[in-house]
Amino acid sequence: MAKIYEALAPAEQQLGWRVNPTLHIAAKFRHRRKNGSPFFTKMLAAIPSCR
């Protein structure tokens, strides 16, 4: 996880807030995406390749 936090440091500086990564197993990710989880819907809408 240390490498992940290190890689996120530039984004945190640009955004002005801390980014807290969350790891999901693929099945849980698909379930939340399919069921319209508000967090996943908003997150995926911000990623051009996921639209």
Side-chain angles (χ1 to χ4, degrees):
M1 285 296 283
K3 288 184 179 184
I4 293 171
Y5 282 108
E6 184 179 318
L8 289 172
E12 290 178 338
Q13 289 177 344
Q14 186 177 0
L15 293 169
W17 66 75
R18 184 157 177 92
V19 175
N20 296 305
T22 303
L23 302 175
H24 293 278
I25 60 171
K28 185 175 183 180
F29 180 88
R30 285 191 299 271
H31 172 77
R32 289 192 173 185
R33 185 176 186 182
K34 180 181 175 184
N35 290 321
S37 164
F39 171 76
F40 274 73
T41 301
K42 186 175 181 180
M43 177 189 64
L44 295 172
I47 304 171
S49 62
C50 292
R51 292 184 192 153

mmCIF file of all heavy atoms in Angstrom:
data_model
loop_
_atom_site.group_PDB
_atom_site.id
_atom_site.type_symbol
_atom_site.label_atom_id
_atom_site.label_comp_id
_atom_site.label_asym_id
_atom_site.label_seq_id
_atom_site.Cartn_x
_atom_site.Cartn_y
_atom_site.Cartn_z
ATOM 1 N N MET A 1 0.822 -1.203 0.000
ATOM 2 C CA MET A 1 0.000 0.000 0.000
ATOM 3 C C MET A 1 0.861 1.260 0.000
ATOM 4 O O MET A 1 0.404 2.286 -0.477
ATOM 5 C CB MET A 1 -0.928 0.011 1.215
ATOM 6 C CG MET A 1 -2.113 -0.940 1.139
ATOM 7 S SD MET A 1 -3.314 -0.584 -0.159
ATOM 8 C CE MET A 1 -4.206 0.771 0.498
ATOM 9 N N ALA A 2 2.070 1.165 0.509
ATOM 10 C CA ALA A 2 2.934 2.343 0.569
ATOM 11 C C ALA A 2 3.186 2.905 -0.830
ATOM 12 O O ALA A 2 3.183 4.128 -1.026
ATOM 13 C CB ALA A 2 4.242 2.006 1.252
ATOM 14 N N LYS A 3 3.368 2.028 -1.807
ATOM 15 C CA LYS A 3 3.614 2.484 -3.183
ATOM 16 C C LYS A 3 2.374 3.161 -3.763
ATOM 17 O O LYS A 3 2.477 4.102 -4.547
ATOM 18 C CB LYS A 3 4.045 1.316 -4.064
ATOM 19 C CG LYS A 3 5.449 0.840 -3.773
ATOM 20 C CD LYS A 3 5.864 -0.248 -4.732
ATOM 21 C CE LYS A 3 7.285 -0.689 -4.431
ATOM 22 N NZ LYS A 3 7.767 -1.678 -5.390
ATOM 23 N N ILE A 4 1.204 2.678 -3.382
ATOM 24 C CA ILE A 4 -0.044 3.282 -3.865
ATOM 25 C C ILE A 4 -0.180 4.698 -3.321
ATOM 26 O O ILE A 4 -0.477 5.638 -4.055
ATOM 27 C CB ILE A 4 -1.266 2.415 -3.481
ATOM 28 C CG1 ILE A 4 -1.210 1.088 -4.238
ATOM 29 C CG2 ILE A 4 -2.568 3.161 -3.764
ATOM 30 C CD1 ILE A 4 -2.228 0.079 -3.794
ATOM 31 N N TYR A 5 0.042 4.858 -2.001
ATOM 32 C CA TYR A 5 -0.039 6.192 -1.402
ATOM 33 C C TYR A 5 0.999 7.133 -2.009
ATOM 34 O O TYR A 5 0.719 8.306 -2.246
ATOM 35 C CB TYR A 5 0.126 6.119 0.113
ATOM 36 C CG TYR A 5 -1.117 5.656 0.814
ATOM 37 C CD1 TYR A 5 -1.188 4.394 1.379
ATOM 38 C CD2 TYR A 5 -2.232 6.479 0.914
ATOM 39 C CE1 TYR A 5 -2.337 3.957 2.018
ATOM 40 C CE2 TYR A 5 -3.385 6.061 1.556
ATOM 41 C CZ TYR A 5 -3.432 4.799 2.104
ATOM 42 O OH TYR A 5 -4.570 4.374 2.740
ATOM 43 N N GLU A 6 2.185 6.624 -2.282
ATOM 44 C CA GLU A 6 3.237 7.430 -2.901
ATOM 45 C C GLU A 6 2.803 7.887 -4.293
ATOM 46 O O GLU A 6 2.999 9.044 -4.665
ATOM 47 C CB GLU A 6 4.522 6.611 -2.988
ATOM 48 C CG GLU A 6 5.700 7.370 -3.525
ATOM 49 C CD GLU A 6 6.946 6.496 -3.569
ATOM 50 O OE1 GLU A 6 7.194 5.734 -2.621
ATOM 51 O OE2 GLU A 6 7.667 6.589 -4.582
ATOM 52 N N ALA A 7 2.184 6.985 -5.058
ATOM 53 C CA ALA A 7 1.729 7.322 -6.411
ATOM 54 C C ALA A 7 0.582 8.328 -6.385
ATOM 55 O O ALA A 7 0.412 9.105 -7.328
ATOM 56 C CB ALA A 7 1.307 6.055 -7.142
ATOM 57 N N LEU A 8 -0.206 8.334 -5.314
ATOM 58 C CA LEU A 8 -1.350 9.240 -5.215
ATOM 59 C C LEU A 8 -0.969 10.637 -4.733
ATOM 60 O O LEU A 8 -1.768 11.570 -4.858
ATOM 61 C CB LEU A 8 -2.405 8.656 -4.269
ATOM 62 C CG LEU A 8 -3.161 7.448 -4.794
ATOM 63 C CD1 LEU A 8 -4.034 6.855 -3.706
ATOM 64 C CD2 LEU A 8 -3.997 7.820 -6.006
ATOM 65 N N ALA A 9 0.222 10.812 -4.195
ATOM 66 C CA ALA A 9 0.639 12.097 -3.630
ATOM 67 C C ALA A 9 0.464 13.271 -4.599
ATOM 68 O O ALA A 9 -0.083 14.314 -4.207
ATOM 69 C CB ALA A 9 2.068 12.015 -3.114
ATOM 70 N N PRO A 10 0.887 13.151 -5.863
ATOM 71 C CA PRO A 10 0.686 14.290 -6.786
ATOM 72 C C PRO A 10 -0.799 14.630 -6.992
ATOM 73 O O PRO A 10 -1.161 15.805 -7.055
ATOM 74 C CB PRO A 10 1.323 13.817 -8.094
ATOM 75 C CG PRO A 10 2.306 12.761 -7.688
ATOM 76 C CD PRO A 10 1.682 12.088 -6.496
ATOM 77 N N ALA A 11 -1.644 13.615 -7.068
ATOM 78 C CA ALA A 11 -3.086 13.870 -7.238
ATOM 79 C C ALA A 11 -3.646 14.570 -6.009
ATOM 80 O O ALA A 11 -4.469 15.479 -6.130
ATOM 81 C CB ALA A 11 -3.830 12.564 -7.492
ATOM 82 N N GLU A 12 -3.210 14.147 -4.832
ATOM 83 C CA GLU A 12 -3.679 14.781 -3.595
ATOM 84 C C GLU A 12 -3.289 16.259 -3.566
ATOM 85 O O GLU A 12 -4.106 17.105 -3.184
ATOM 86 C CB GLU A 12 -3.101 14.069 -2.378
ATOM 87 C CG GLU A 12 -3.662 12.690 -2.165
ATOM 88 C CD GLU A 12 -3.058 11.972 -0.977
ATOM 89 O OE1 GLU A 12 -1.946 12.318 -0.544
ATOM 90 O OE2 GLU A 12 -3.719 11.062 -0.461
ATOM 91 N N GLN A 13 -2.079 16.557 -3.990
ATOM 92 C CA GLN A 13 -1.635 17.954 -4.015
ATOM 93 C C GLN A 13 -2.460 18.771 -5.005
ATOM 94 O O GLN A 13 -2.866 19.891 -4.712
ATOM 95 C CB GLN A 13 -0.152 18.030 -4.362
ATOM 96 C CG GLN A 13 0.736 17.528 -3.254
ATOM 97 C CD GLN A 13 2.209 17.547 -3.641
ATOM 98 O OE1 GLN A 13 2.566 17.659 -4.810
ATOM 99 N NE2 GLN A 13 3.077 17.419 -2.643
ATOM 100 N N GLN A 14 -2.734 18.200 -6.154
ATOM 101 C CA GLN A 14 -3.512 18.914 -7.167
ATOM 102 C C GLN A 14 -4.962 19.100 -6.725
ATOM 103 O O GLN A 14 -5.546 20.162 -6.934
ATOM 104 C CB GLN A 14 -3.468 18.161 -8.490
ATOM 105 C CG GLN A 14 -4.135 18.904 -9.625
ATOM 106 C CD GLN A 14 -4.008 18.172 -10.954
ATOM 107 O OE1 GLN A 14 -3.431 17.101 -11.047
ATOM 108 N NE2 GLN A 14 -4.552 18.755 -11.999
ATOM 109 N N LEU A 15 -5.544 18.085 -6.112
ATOM 110 C CA LEU A 15 -6.939 18.157 -5.677
ATOM 111 C C LEU A 15 -7.125 18.976 -4.411
ATOM 112 O O LEU A 15 -8.186 19.539 -4.183
ATOM 113 C CB LEU A 15 -7.484 16.737 -5.433
ATOM 114 C CG LEU A 15 -7.625 15.857 -6.665
ATOM 115 C CD1 LEU A 15 -7.896 14.419 -6.251
ATOM 116 C CD2 LEU A 15 -8.720 16.388 -7.577
ATOM 117 N N GLY A 16 -6.117 18.966 -3.569
ATOM 118 C CA GLY A 16 -6.221 19.689 -2.303
ATOM 119 C C GLY A 16 -6.883 18.882 -1.199
ATOM 120 O O GLY A 16 -7.330 19.438 -0.208
ATOM 121 N N TRP A 17 -6.993 17.564 -1.391
ATOM 122 C CA TRP A 17 -7.519 16.700 -0.335
ATOM 123 C C TRP A 17 -6.891 15.328 -0.424
ATOM 124 O O TRP A 17 -6.318 14.951 -1.427
ATOM 125 C CB TRP A 17 -9.042 16.608 -0.361
ATOM 126 C CG TRP A 17 -9.648 15.940 -1.565
ATOM 127 C CD1 TRP A 17 -9.662 14.601 -1.832
ATOM 128 C CD2 TRP A 17 -10.330 16.551 -2.658
ATOM 129 N NE1 TRP A 17 -10.308 14.353 -3.015
ATOM 130 C CE2 TRP A 17 -10.730 15.541 -3.540
ATOM 131 C CE3 TRP A 17 -10.646 17.878 -2.954
ATOM 132 C CZ2 TRP A 17 -11.424 15.813 -4.698
ATOM 133 C CZ3 TRP A 17 -11.340 18.126 -4.116
ATOM 134 C CH2 TRP A 17 -11.719 17.104 -4.971
ATOM 135 N N ARG A 18 -7.011 14.575 0.667
ATOM 136 C CA ARG A 18 -6.424 13.247 0.742
ATOM 137 C C ARG A 18 -7.261 12.251 -0.055
ATOM 138 O O ARG A 18 -8.487 12.266 0.007
ATOM 139 C CB ARG A 18 -6.327 12.793 2.185
ATOM 140 C CG ARG A 18 -5.645 11.467 2.333
ATOM 141 C CD ARG A 18 -5.079 11.323 3.733
ATOM 142 N NE ARG A 18 -4.481 10.028 3.899
ATOM 143 C CZ ARG A 18 -3.199 9.762 3.684
ATOM 144 N NH1 ARG A 18 -2.393 10.731 3.339
ATOM 145 N NH2 ARG A 18 -2.727 8.562 3.848
ATOM 146 N N VAL A 19 -6.585 11.412 -0.811
ATOM 147 C CA VAL A 19 -7.241 10.356 -1.573
ATOM 148 C C VAL A 19 -7.062 9.053 -0.805
ATOM 149 O O VAL A 19 -5.944 8.678 -0.470
ATOM 150 C CB VAL A 19 -6.617 10.224 -2.995
ATOM 151 C CG1 VAL A 19 -7.219 9.050 -3.737
ATOM 152 C CG2 VAL A 19 -6.775 11.523 -3.760
ATOM 153 N N ASN A 20 -8.158 8.407 -0.466
ATOM 154 C CA ASN A 20 -8.119 7.158 0.281
ATOM 155 C C ASN A 20 -8.478 5.996 -0.639
ATOM 156 O O ASN A 20 -9.646 5.784 -0.947
ATOM 157 C CB ASN A 20 -9.099 7.199 1.459
ATOM 158 C CG ASN A 20 -8.710 8.238 2.460
ATOM 159 O OD1 ASN A 20 -7.582 8.238 2.955
ATOM 160 N ND2 ASN A 20 -9.615 9.144 2.762
ATOM 161 N N PRO A 21 -7.472 5.243 -1.085
ATOM 162 C CA PRO A 21 -7.756 4.123 -1.986
ATOM 163 C C PRO A 21 -8.482 2.990 -1.275
ATOM 164 O O PRO A 21 -8.265 2.745 -0.091
ATOM 165 C CB PRO A 21 -6.361 3.677 -2.440
ATOM 166 C CG PRO A 21 -5.455 4.088 -1.342
ATOM 167 C CD PRO A 21 -6.049 5.339 -0.767
ATOM 168 N N THR A 22 -9.372 2.349 -2.002
ATOM 169 C CA THR A 22 -10.096 1.195 -1.489
ATOM 170 C C THR A 22 -9.958 0.070 -2.500
ATOM 171 O O THR A 22 -10.192 0.284 -3.692
ATOM 172 C CB THR A 22 -11.592 1.525 -1.296
ATOM 173 O OG1 THR A 22 -11.695 2.639 -0.414
ATOM 174 C CG2 THR A 22 -12.346 0.355 -0.711
ATOM 175 N N LEU A 23 -9.578 -1.092 -2.029
ATOM 176 C CA LEU A 23 -9.437 -2.247 -2.908
ATOM 177 C C LEU A 23 -10.697 -3.090 -2.848
ATOM 178 O O LEU A 23 -11.232 -3.349 -1.769
ATOM 179 C CB LEU A 23 -8.227 -3.086 -2.488
ATOM 180 C CG LEU A 23 -6.893 -2.358 -2.486
ATOM 181 C CD1 LEU A 23 -5.805 -3.266 -1.937
ATOM 182 C CD2 LEU A 23 -6.536 -1.876 -3.867
ATOM 183 N N HIS A 24 -11.204 -3.488 -4.003
ATOM 184 C CA HIS A 24 -12.400 -4.321 -4.088
ATOM 185 C C HIS A 24 -12.089 -5.556 -4.926
ATOM 186 O O HIS A 24 -11.393 -5.450 -5.939
ATOM 187 C CB HIS A 24 -13.556 -3.571 -4.752
ATOM 188 C CG HIS A 24 -14.075 -2.434 -3.946
ATOM 189 N ND1 HIS A 24 -14.970 -2.603 -2.932
ATOM 190 C CD2 HIS A 24 -13.815 -1.113 -4.002
ATOM 191 C CE1 HIS A 24 -15.253 -1.435 -2.401
ATOM 192 N NE2 HIS A 24 -14.556 -0.510 -3.032
ATOM 193 N N ILE A 25 -12.650 -6.671 -4.523
ATOM 194 C CA ILE A 25 -12.525 -7.844 -5.386
ATOM 195 C C ILE A 25 -13.423 -7.605 -6.598
ATOM 196 O O ILE A 25 -14.377 -6.827 -6.540
ATOM 197 C CB ILE A 25 -12.886 -9.147 -4.650
ATOM 198 C CG1 ILE A 25 -14.324 -9.125 -4.148
ATOM 199 C CG2 ILE A 25 -11.914 -9.428 -3.521
ATOM 200 C CD1 ILE A 25 -14.797 -10.457 -3.603
ATOM 201 N N ALA A 26 -13.101 -8.242 -7.696
ATOM 202 C CA ALA A 26 -13.820 -7.998 -8.950
ATOM 203 C C ALA A 26 -15.323 -8.218 -8.818
ATOM 204 O O ALA A 26 -16.118 -7.419 -9.319
ATOM 205 C CB ALA A 26 -13.247 -8.874 -10.056
ATOM 206 N N ALA A 27 -15.731 -9.265 -8.134
ATOM 207 C CA ALA A 27 -17.166 -9.558 -7.999
ATOM 208 C C ALA A 27 -17.886 -8.445 -7.244
ATOM 209 O O ALA A 27 -18.994 -8.043 -7.612
ATOM 210 C CB ALA A 27 -17.372 -10.893 -7.298
ATOM 211 N N LYS A 28 -17.265 -7.923 -6.203
ATOM 212 C CA LYS A 28 -17.879 -6.845 -5.423
ATOM 213 C C LYS A 28 -17.971 -5.577 -6.271
ATOM 214 O O LYS A 28 -18.976 -4.872 -6.241
ATOM 215 C CB LYS A 28 -17.056 -6.584 -4.162
ATOM 216 C CG LYS A 28 -17.655 -5.570 -3.232
ATOM 217 C CD LYS A 28 -16.822 -5.463 -1.955
ATOM 218 C CE LYS A 28 -17.430 -4.499 -0.975
ATOM 219 N NZ LYS A 28 -16.631 -4.394 0.243
ATOM 220 N N PHE A 29 -16.921 -5.305 -7.044
ATOM 221 C CA PHE A 29 -16.916 -4.140 -7.924
ATOM 222 C C PHE A 29 -18.047 -4.239 -8.934
ATOM 223 O O PHE A 29 -18.818 -3.299 -9.108
ATOM 224 C CB PHE A 29 -15.567 -4.027 -8.633
ATOM 225 C CG PHE A 29 -15.473 -2.851 -9.559
ATOM 226 C CD1 PHE A 29 -15.048 -1.624 -9.085
ATOM 227 C CD2 PHE A 29 -15.809 -2.969 -10.902
ATOM 228 C CE1 PHE A 29 -14.957 -0.533 -9.927
ATOM 229 C CE2 PHE A 29 -15.718 -1.888 -11.751
ATOM 230 C CZ PHE A 29 -15.292 -0.664 -11.260
ATOM 231 N N ARG A 30 -18.168 -5.385 -9.609
ATOM 232 C CA ARG A 30 -19.233 -5.568 -10.615
ATOM 233 C C ARG A 30 -20.614 -5.424 -9.977
ATOM 234 O O ARG A 30 -21.511 -4.808 -10.563
ATOM 235 C CB ARG A 30 -19.086 -6.925 -11.290
ATOM 236 C CG ARG A 30 -17.959 -6.989 -12.299
ATOM 237 C CD ARG A 30 -18.000 -8.263 -13.133
ATOM 238 N NE ARG A 30 -17.861 -9.472 -12.323
ATOM 239 C CZ ARG A 30 -16.703 -10.044 -12.019
ATOM 240 N NH1 ARG A 30 -15.574 -9.526 -12.461
ATOM 241 N NH2 ARG A 30 -16.669 -11.134 -11.285
ATOM 242 N N HIS A 31 -20.793 -5.986 -8.789
ATOM 243 C CA HIS A 31 -22.079 -5.909 -8.097
ATOM 244 C C HIS A 31 -22.449 -4.454 -7.814
ATOM 245 O O HIS A 31 -23.573 -4.022 -8.080
ATOM 246 C CB HIS A 31 -22.022 -6.714 -6.795
ATOM 247 C CG HIS A 31 -23.220 -6.543 -5.928
ATOM 248 N ND1 HIS A 31 -24.413 -7.182 -6.199
ATOM 249 C CD2 HIS A 31 -23.431 -5.808 -4.818
ATOM 250 C CE1 HIS A 31 -25.302 -6.843 -5.279
ATOM 251 N NE2 HIS A 31 -24.725 -6.013 -4.426
ATOM 252 N N ARG A 32 -21.506 -3.700 -7.278
ATOM 253 C CA ARG A 32 -21.790 -2.299 -6.947
ATOM 254 C C ARG A 32 -22.036 -1.465 -8.197
ATOM 255 O O ARG A 32 -22.875 -0.574 -8.195
ATOM 256 C CB ARG A 32 -20.670 -1.712 -6.107
ATOM 257 C CG ARG A 32 -20.673 -2.279 -4.706
ATOM 258 C CD ARG A 32 -19.794 -1.516 -3.805
ATOM 259 N NE ARG A 32 -19.967 -2.002 -2.446
ATOM 260 C CZ ARG A 32 -19.391 -1.473 -1.414
ATOM 261 N NH1 ARG A 32 -18.600 -0.442 -1.560
ATOM 262 N NH2 ARG A 32 -19.597 -1.963 -0.216
ATOM 263 N N ARG A 33 -21.297 -1.759 -9.244
ATOM 264 C CA ARG A 33 -21.506 -1.024 -10.494
ATOM 265 C C ARG A 33 -22.874 -1.352 -11.075
ATOM 266 O O ARG A 33 -23.624 -0.466 -11.502
ATOM 267 C CB ARG A 33 -20.404 -1.375 -11.488
ATOM 268 C CG ARG A 33 -20.460 -0.573 -12.751
ATOM 269 C CD ARG A 33 -19.289 -0.891 -13.641
ATOM 270 N NE ARG A 33 -19.278 -0.008 -14.796
ATOM 271 C CZ ARG A 33 -18.400 -0.064 -15.755
ATOM 272 N NH1 ARG A 33 -17.436 -0.958 -15.719
ATOM 273 N NH2 ARG A 33 -18.461 0.764 -16.769
ATOM 274 N N LYS A 34 -23.227 -2.625 -11.107
ATOM 275 C CA LYS A 34 -24.506 -3.070 -11.661
ATOM 276 C C LYS A 34 -25.688 -2.503 -10.885
ATOM 277 O O LYS A 34 -26.705 -2.132 -11.463
ATOM 278 C CB LYS A 34 -24.559 -4.598 -11.644
ATOM 279 C CG LYS A 34 -25.842 -5.168 -12.190
ATOM 280 C CD LYS A 34 -25.839 -6.683 -12.120
ATOM 281 C CE LYS A 34 -27.172 -7.240 -12.549
ATOM 282 N NZ LYS A 34 -27.209 -8.694 -12.405
ATOM 283 N N ASN A 35 -25.557 -2.419 -9.563
ATOM 284 C CA ASN A 35 -26.659 -1.974 -8.716
ATOM 285 C C ASN A 35 -26.712 -0.462 -8.517
ATOM 286 O O ASN A 35 -27.511 0.024 -7.733
ATOM 287 C CB ASN A 35 -26.614 -2.685 -7.373
ATOM 288 C CG ASN A 35 -26.965 -4.149 -7.517
ATOM 289 O OD1 ASN A 35 -27.848 -4.510 -8.288
ATOM 290 N ND2 ASN A 35 -26.269 -5.005 -6.799
ATOM 291 N N GLY A 36 -25.854 0.273 -9.214
ATOM 292 C CA GLY A 36 -25.928 1.734 -9.181
ATOM 293 C C GLY A 36 -25.492 2.377 -7.882
ATOM 294 O O GLY A 36 -26.069 3.391 -7.484
ATOM 295 N N SER A 37 -24.495 1.813 -7.234
ATOM 296 C CA SER A 37 -23.956 2.431 -6.031
ATOM 297 C C SER A 37 -23.626 3.891 -6.327
ATOM 298 O O SER A 37 -22.914 4.183 -7.282
ATOM 299 C CB SER A 37 -22.688 1.694 -5.584
ATOM 300 O OG SER A 37 -21.946 2.465 -4.675
ATOM 301 N N PRO A 38 -24.148 4.843 -5.541
ATOM 302 C CA PRO A 38 -23.891 6.261 -5.820
ATOM 303 C C PRO A 38 -22.396 6.591 -5.908
ATOM 304 O O PRO A 38 -21.979 7.338 -6.789
ATOM 305 C CB PRO A 38 -24.544 6.988 -4.649
ATOM 306 C CG PRO A 38 -25.619 6.054 -4.189
ATOM 307 C CD PRO A 38 -25.051 4.672 -4.397
ATOM 308 N N PHE A 39 -21.599 6.024 -5.018
ATOM 309 C CA PHE A 39 -20.162 6.278 -5.045
ATOM 310 C C PHE A 39 -19.550 5.769 -6.346
ATOM 311 O O PHE A 39 -18.821 6.488 -7.022
ATOM 312 C CB PHE A 39 -19.462 5.630 -3.854
ATOM 313 C CG PHE A 39 -17.958 5.694 -3.956
ATOM 314 C CD1 PHE A 39 -17.285 6.870 -3.701
ATOM 315 C CD2 PHE A 39 -17.230 4.581 -4.337
ATOM 316 C CE1 PHE A 39 -15.902 6.940 -3.815
ATOM 317 C CE2 PHE A 39 -15.851 4.638 -4.440
ATOM 318 C CZ PHE A 39 -15.184 5.820 -4.187
ATOM 319 N N PHE A 40 -19.868 4.538 -6.725
ATOM 320 C CA PHE A 40 -19.300 3.960 -7.944
ATOM 321 C C PHE A 40 -19.801 4.701 -9.177
ATOM 322 O O PHE A 40 -19.040 4.941 -10.110
ATOM 323 C CB PHE A 40 -19.643 2.473 -8.045
ATOM 324 C CG PHE A 40 -18.677 1.598 -7.306
ATOM 325 C CD1 PHE A 40 -18.680 1.551 -5.929
ATOM 326 C CD2 PHE A 40 -17.753 0.827 -7.990
ATOM 327 C CE1 PHE A 40 -17.785 0.757 -5.242
ATOM 328 C CE2 PHE A 40 -16.851 0.028 -7.314
ATOM 329 C CZ PHE A 40 -16.868 -0.005 -5.934
ATOM 330 N N THR A 41 -21.054 5.072 -9.203
ATOM 331 C CA THR A 41 -21.610 5.794 -10.340
ATOM 332 C C THR A 41 -20.866 7.108 -10.543
ATOM 333 O O THR A 41 -20.464 7.444 -11.660
ATOM 334 C CB THR A 41 -23.112 6.049 -10.134
ATOM 335 O OG1 THR A 41 -23.769 4.792 -9.985
ATOM 336 C CG2 THR A 41 -23.721 6.802 -11.302
ATOM 337 N N LYS A 42 -20.661 7.855 -9.457
ATOM 338 C CA LYS A 42 -19.968 9.136 -9.538
ATOM 339 C C LYS A 42 -18.503 8.939 -9.915
ATOM 340 O O LYS A 42 -17.960 9.659 -10.748
ATOM 341 C CB LYS A 42 -20.072 9.867 -8.197
ATOM 342 C CG LYS A 42 -19.511 11.256 -8.215
ATOM 343 C CD LYS A 42 -19.763 11.958 -6.893
ATOM 344 C CE LYS A 42 -19.207 13.374 -6.924
ATOM 345 N NZ LYS A 42 -19.435 14.060 -5.656
ATOM 346 N N MET A 43 -17.854 7.957 -9.300
ATOM 347 C CA MET A 43 -16.449 7.703 -9.560
ATOM 348 C C MET A 43 -16.234 7.304 -11.018
ATOM 349 O O MET A 43 -15.370 7.846 -11.705
ATOM 350 C CB MET A 43 -15.930 6.593 -8.641
ATOM 351 C CG MET A 43 -14.490 6.217 -8.897
ATOM 352 S SD MET A 43 -13.968 4.758 -8.018
ATOM 353 C CE MET A 43 -15.003 3.490 -8.721
ATOM 354 N N LEU A 44 -17.030 6.372 -11.507
ATOM 355 C CA LEU A 44 -16.864 5.882 -12.876
ATOM 356 C C LEU A 44 -17.231 6.933 -13.924
ATOM 357 O O LEU A 44 -16.660 6.957 -15.004
ATOM 358 C CB LEU A 44 -17.661 4.607 -13.084
ATOM 359 C CG LEU A 44 -17.184 3.414 -12.253
ATOM 360 C CD1 LEU A 44 -18.150 2.247 -12.377
ATOM 361 C CD2 LEU A 44 -15.776 3.011 -12.629
ATOM 362 N N ALA A 45 -18.154 7.824 -13.590
ATOM 363 C CA ALA A 45 -18.516 8.894 -14.514
ATOM 364 C C ALA A 45 -17.343 9.852 -14.734
ATOM 365 O O ALA A 45 -17.254 10.499 -15.775
ATOM 366 C CB ALA A 45 -19.729 9.655 -13.998
ATOM 367 N N ALA A 46 -16.446 9.937 -13.757
ATOM 368 C CA ALA A 46 -15.300 10.832 -13.854
ATOM 369 C C ALA A 46 -14.144 10.240 -14.638
ATOM 370 O O ALA A 46 -13.178 10.927 -14.953
ATOM 371 C CB ALA A 46 -14.830 11.210 -12.449
ATOM 372 N N ILE A 47 -14.236 8.953 -14.970
ATOM 373 C CA ILE A 47 -13.161 8.279 -15.691
ATOM 374 C C ILE A 47 -13.613 8.057 -17.136
ATOM 375 O O ILE A 47 -14.518 7.260 -17.391
ATOM 376 C CB ILE A 47 -12.815 6.918 -15.028
ATOM 377 C CG1 ILE A 47 -12.450 7.126 -13.565
ATOM 378 C CG2 ILE A 47 -11.709 6.212 -15.795
ATOM 379 C CD1 ILE A 47 -12.309 5.834 -12.774
ATOM 380 N N PRO A 48 -13.020 8.795 -18.085
ATOM 381 C CA PRO A 48 -13.479 8.697 -19.478
ATOM 382 C C PRO A 48 -13.555 7.284 -20.042
ATOM 383 O O PRO A 48 -14.494 6.962 -20.763
ATOM 384 C CB PRO A 48 -12.438 9.529 -20.243
ATOM 385 C CG PRO A 48 -11.894 10.473 -19.225
ATOM 386 C CD PRO A 48 -11.913 9.714 -17.917
ATOM 387 N N SER A 49 -12.629 6.425 -19.703
ATOM 388 C CA SER A 49 -12.630 5.073 -20.261
ATOM 389 C C SER A 49 -13.732 4.186 -19.677
ATOM 390 O O SER A 49 -13.973 3.098 -20.179
ATOM 391 C CB SER A 49 -11.259 4.410 -20.034
ATOM 392 O OG SER A 49 -11.005 4.285 -18.652
ATOM 393 N N CYS A 50 -14.422 4.637 -18.625
ATOM 394 C CA CYS A 50 -15.475 3.839 -17.990
ATOM 395 C C CYS A 50 -16.875 4.310 -18.358
ATOM 396 O O CYS A 50 -17.848 3.787 -17.863
ATOM 397 C CB CYS A 50 -15.311 3.885 -16.481
ATOM 398 S SG CYS A 50 -13.849 3.042 -15.899
ATOM 399 N N ARG A 51 -16.979 5.304 -19.214
ATOM 400 C CA ARG A 51 -18.306 5.834 -19.575
ATOM 401 C C ARG A 51 -19.008 4.952 -20.558
ATOM 402 O O ARG A 51 -18.527 4.220 -21.298
ATOM 403 C CB ARG A 51 -18.175 7.228 -20.143
ATOM 404 C CG ARG A 51 -17.730 8.205 -19.096
ATOM 405 C CD ARG A 51 -17.696 9.609 -19.655
ATOM 406 N NE ARG A 51 -16.994 10.416 -18.678
ATOM 407 C CZ ARG A 51 -16.322 11.493 -18.972
ATOM 408 N NH1 ARG A 51 -16.266 11.918 -20.208
ATOM 409 N NH2 ARG A 51 -15.719 12.178 -18.052
#
